[in-house]
Amino acid sequence: MNDLRFRPASGADLSTLVRLRDDAARWMNSRGTTGQWQPGELGEDHFRRIMKDGEVWVAEVNGRTVGAWELWWEDPDAWGPQPPTAGYVHRLMVDRAAALPGTGRLLLRAAEQRVAEVGRTLTRLDCLKGNDRLTAYYRDAGYQVVGHTEDKPQPGGATKSFTLLEKPVR
């Protein structure tokens, strides 16, 4: 994994980000997690907006994109109003056809490092309430469940309930 490089996403990455998201949604659905993401929910406009208001990062190996994530500096829909002490990781995505095992954990660690670089002390994320497999993944990465949020707005206007997790970073 020494070849793994991280960089901010650009407009040239938009179609790749949509493909990663849709592929991740299909993978989750094939494993029985059908409520978290659906293919086609998010298009290029979503990622363009996040690049403007937050950060989108791409992970590459030898010039090939193998993963990505979003980093937000606030998330009031899930966490309510908060002081500026956290970074919020969203859409952690790995290209299962190209990435080696453990890539997701490396992406998560890079996101945590970015949060620490800007002087924030917590990394926060959420996952669909009842998604025990994903909750366990994040707990194994050092995150603690700190609550739940009900009726968080989703693409297309629906709402869902989420488990909230956080991890101190230095």
Side-chain angles (χ1 to χ4, degrees):
M1 272 298 174
N2 293 347
D3 303 1
L4 190 63
R5 302 281 183 255
F6 304 104
R7 65 171 175 80
S10 70
D13 297 307
L14 291 170
S15 63
T16 300
L17 292 166
V18 171
R19 178 189 56 79
L20 276 173
R21 171 54 163 68
D22 287 349
D23 287 351
R26 282 189 277 279
W27 179 82
M28 280 193 275
N29 288 335
S30 75
R31 297 179 59 89
T33 304
T34 58
Q36 184 102 15
W37 293 353
Q38 295 302 317
E41 279 181 323
L42 302 178
E44 291 183 5
D45 287 345
H46 167 82
F47 292 102
R48 191 176 292 112
R49 181 179 56 80
I50 299 302
M51 282 184 229
K52 181 178 168 253
D53 297 335
E55 298 180 8
V56 179
W57 287 83
V58 172
E60 296 176 326
V61 173
N62 300 324
R64 180 175 180 179
T65 300
V66 297
W69 73 89
E70 296 175 8
L71 186 55
W72 302 4
W73 300 114
E74 59 182 16
D75 186 1
D77 287 341
W79 293 83
Q82 295 287 322
T85 58
Y88 300 83
V89 177
H90 287 278
R91 276 165 273 292
L92 186 70
M93 307 173 285
V94 173
D95 184 339
R96 301 230 167 248
L100 294 174
T103 298
R105 191 64 60 89
L106 294 174
L107 270 62
L108 192 55
R109 192 171 307 132
E112 294 162 3
Q113 289 171 350
R114 175 68 182 140
V115 170
E117 282 174 11
V118 301
R120 301 212 176 180
T121 58
L122 294 169
T123 301
R124 290 179 172 155
L125 47 81
D126 61 52
C127 61
L128 189 67
K129 190 174 178 182
N131 187 341
D132 296 335
R133 183 179 292 150
L134 190 54
T135 299
Y137 176 83
Y138 289 128
R139 290 183 69 144
D140 287 346
Y143 286 78
Q144 296 207 351
V145 173
V146 294
H148 299 278
T149 187
E150 307 296 325
D151 301 322
K152 180 181 174 186
Q154 298 298 295
T159 62
K160 296 179 183 176
S161 298
F162 287 85
T163 299
L164 304 174
L165 300 102
E166 71 181 17
K167 178 181 180 180
V169 294
R170 296 180 207 126

